[in-house]
Amino acid sequence: ITPSMATNTTFHVRVHNIQARELHIGDTPSSSLSPYIKCNFDNFKNFKTETARKGNTHQWSLDIVFFYDTRYPDKLSQKNFTIECFSSRLLGSDDFIGSCAIDLHTLASGPVHHDILLRDGPKPSGRVSFDVMMEQYAEITATLKDVEVREISENIVEISHNETYLAYHYAGGEKADTKEAKSSKCVPSMSPSWPEMEQLYMQATLRGLLSGGVSVQFKQSKALGSDVVLGAAMINMAGFIQHPHAHPHTHTYMGPFTEPLVVSRNGRSVAIGKLTGTLVLKNVPGMAQMTGGVHCELGVKGGKPLLEGLPAPAQSMPEDAAVPGMTPFHQTIGLEISNDRGLGSDWTDLGEAPPKAQPLPAGWEEKTDDKGRSFYIDHNTQTTHWNRPAPPTPAPVPTPTPAAAPISAPPAQAPMRAVDPSSLPPAPFTPRPPPPPTPHADLPPPPAPPPPPPP
């Protein structure tokens, strides 16, 4: 796919790892629904998932990649990525479960991972989590100026009567224009220089630039055979992009560089001189997503900007705030995910074990019905329940009895008088403790599960 970059701001977008949980339509639980997801990316791209099987949690294999162009990067906060969830029906129209929307500014400047509440109008109807990678993508121009090779070690490199030149290309962590450029040839010298050189063109994101650089080879031409590589250097771009501007437009950065020229000798790198000059980068992207973190309907928690000063989402959460709908274990894992992986709903996918459940009270037992749903038997009363009972209260620690004080004569009492029994309050009722449980056949589960509790 080749993005159009003439007048538009372009973003490289990937949507994947879509999951849903706690879905319901009225009293119909998630285990009775066959959901699928429809997505609308600013009316620019529409796509939907396959229909998932019935169950308590749902996951889709959708993984879609595209380029998104806009002429108005300043108005990303007014454009939305909308998700709608439906339940498929064999007959009649599919049932609407709920929807949510995220503005594109939050997608392009916030975390990759999202965990959002679905609503059917004002009513909560479940949660959906997904990963969206949305990185600004630009055609960047790199120019090397006033380049010079200095302090050449004559003991290692022999400059003959042949001309020398520089060959260079962009070496980044993402797919880019890898066409090699060359300088003009310079007469034999121990300090060759090139005031102007051919420009490099590359298509990359800001994250890719920070992990890449310009790879330069110092070569000597030969009349016969291949040219000889006298030394090599890497000009890292991270040192030139340290103070970005807080808006999504592209920018120009310029600065001097001094890098060692090295050559391999007997399996180790040996410096043969220095490469100096000035690097100019034009049309550098002005937006990048955060590293780690999670975005929910209350804001962003835990994400770290790629560079200080980059545009950021409008709403953030305090560090000690909990993300709605996520367990404490998921809270910790969700804030540490990287940009190439989303948070899975399966405990084994995270490489950890779930927290252990609290013990059941005496006389209770957990069972599973033929649909895989857990229910609980109270053998004390021979009843079944869908809700897990509260854990038993630990016995109080006995308090030592203080030493008895010397017995003294009781104080004088007032004379007794007659009282009408009907005027006295009723005595408190103390129930008799239940008898110990007796063995009996397993009880069937309750007839129907109750509606899911509110989030």
Side-chain angles (χ1 to χ4, degrees):
I1 305 174
T2 301
S4 172
M5 299 182 180
T7 58
N8 294 344
T9 297
T10 302
F11 293 88
H12 187 214
V13 182
R14 179 189 179 194
V15 181
H16 65 118
N17 196 26
I18 304 178
Q19 305 176 36
R21 63 189 187 275
E22 304 171 14
L23 301 178
H24 60 274
I25 302 177
D27 294 337
T28 305
S30 180
S31 58
S32 300
L33 303 177
S34 300
Y36 64 90
I37 297 289
K38 295 176 66 175
C39 302
N40 182 334
F41 200 95
D42 186 37
N43 295 322
F44 179 87
K45 189 80 172 179
N46 293 282
F47 46 93
K48 73 175 186 177
T49 68
E50 72 278 11
T51 299
R53 296 181 179 179
K54 296 180 180 180
N56 294 322
T57 60
H58 312 276
Q59 185 170 357
W60 293 272
S61 60
L62 178 75
D63 191 339
I64 186 166
V65 178
F66 58 94
F67 284 98
Y68 169 74
D69 293 334
T70 178
R71 294 186 178 182
Y72 309 102
D74 292 333
K75 297 183 179 180
L76 288 177
S77 59
Q78 302 174 25
K79 305 171 182 291
N80 290 323
F81 173 52
T82 303
I83 287 182
E84 295 179 309
C85 188
F86 295 85
S87 181
S88 178
R89 298 181 63 180
L90 295 177
L91 299 176
S93 301
D94 294 343
D95 295 322
F96 178 72
I97 299 176
S99 65
C100 65
I102 305 173
D103 68 272
L104 300 193
H105 177 84
T106 297
L107 289 183
S109 62
V112 170
H113 188 64
H114 305 265
D115 195 300
I116 308 294
L117 177 69
L118 291 172
R119 289 186 181 274
D120 179 6
K123 299 179 181 178
S125 54
R127 298 194 71 85
V128 60
S129 65
F130 50 92
D131 292 343
V132 177
M133 298 180 68
M134 183 177 176
E135 295 277 3
Q136 187 178 355
Y137 202 79
E139 186 174 277
I140 302 151
T141 303
T143 306
L144 298 174
K145 300 173 65 68
D146 300 324
V147 180
E148 184 179 359
V149 176
R150 299 179 179 178
E151 304 177 15
I152 296 179
S153 176
E154 299 181 25
N155 297 328
I156 303 176
V157 176
E158 179 181 353
I159 302 296
S160 64
H161 297 290
N162 294 329
E163 297 174 316
T164 57
Y165 65 95
L166 298 178
Y168 47 100
H169 67 276
Y170 169 68
E174 34 185 46
K175 184 179 179 181
D177 184 0
T178 57
K179 180 181 178 181
E180 185 178 72
K182 295 181 180 180
S183 69
S184 59
K185 293 185 178 181
C186 184
V187 296
S189 171
M190 295 303 293
S191 57
S193 61
W194 298 267
E196 299 291 341
M197 296 174 60
E198 182 182 349
Q199 291 180 322
L200 281 177
Y201 298 96
M202 62 201 78
Q203 295 177 356
T205 65
L206 180 58
R207 193 180 303 274
L209 279 181
L210 293 176
S211 62
V214 178
S215 176
V216 183
Q217 287 185 328
F218 178 40
K219 290 187 173 184
Q220 189 172 52
S221 61
K222 291 289 186 179
L224 298 175
S226 301
D227 295 346
V228 178
V229 177
L230 302 178
M234 174 67 75
I235 306 172
N236 294 312
M237 295 184 180
F240 297 89
I241 311 172
Q242 295 296 333
H243 303 286
H245 307 275
H247 55 80
H249 297 287
T250 55
H251 311 286
T252 298
Y253 298 93
M254 180 176 66
F257 64 86
T258 299
E259 301 292 344
L261 274 169
V262 297
V263 66
S264 179
R265 290 285 188 273
N266 300 323
R268 61 190 185 93
S269 297
V270 179
I272 61 101
K274 293 181 179 179
L275 183 71
T276 65
T278 300
L279 174 64
V280 182
L281 298 173
K282 291 184 178 181
N283 206 38
V284 175
M287 292 190 78
Q289 289 181 290
M290 291 180 168
T291 300
V294 60
H295 168 251
C296 69
E297 63 271 16
L298 300 182
V300 171
K301 181 180 178 182
K304 296 180 180 179
L306 181 64
L307 287 175
E308 294 297 330
L310 287 175
Q315 193 172 3
S316 60
M317 295 175 59
E319 288 297 326
D320 57 348
V323 178
M326 296 180 70
T327 65
F329 176 78
H330 280 96
Q331 300 274 351
T332 304
I333 299 298
L335 301 183
E336 296 177 354
I337 60 174
S338 63
N339 276 353
D340 59 358
R341 181 177 180 220
L343 177 65
S345 62
D346 191 341
W347 293 104
T348 58
D349 181 51
L350 298 171
E352 298 285 351
K356 292 184 179 180
Q358 296 293 330
L360 295 171
W364 284 75
E365 182 183 5
E366 182 177 358
K367 289 284 188 178
T368 304
D369 66 3
D370 56 357
K371 295 183 179 180
R373 298 174 298 183
S374 296
F375 67 96
Y376 303 90
I377 300 177
D378 183 0
H379 293 289
N380 302 304
T381 59
Q382 298 187 15
T383 57
T384 57
H385 306 268
W386 287 110
N387 295 327
R388 186 182 183 90
T393 304
V397 179
T399 305
T401 304
I407 300 176
S408 58
Q413 297 183 358
M416 299 181 62
R417 58 186 180 88
V419 178
D420 183 5
S422 62
S423 64
L424 296 175
F429 173 74
T430 303
R432 179 177 298 175
T438 55
H440 57 82
D442 288 344
L443 296 176

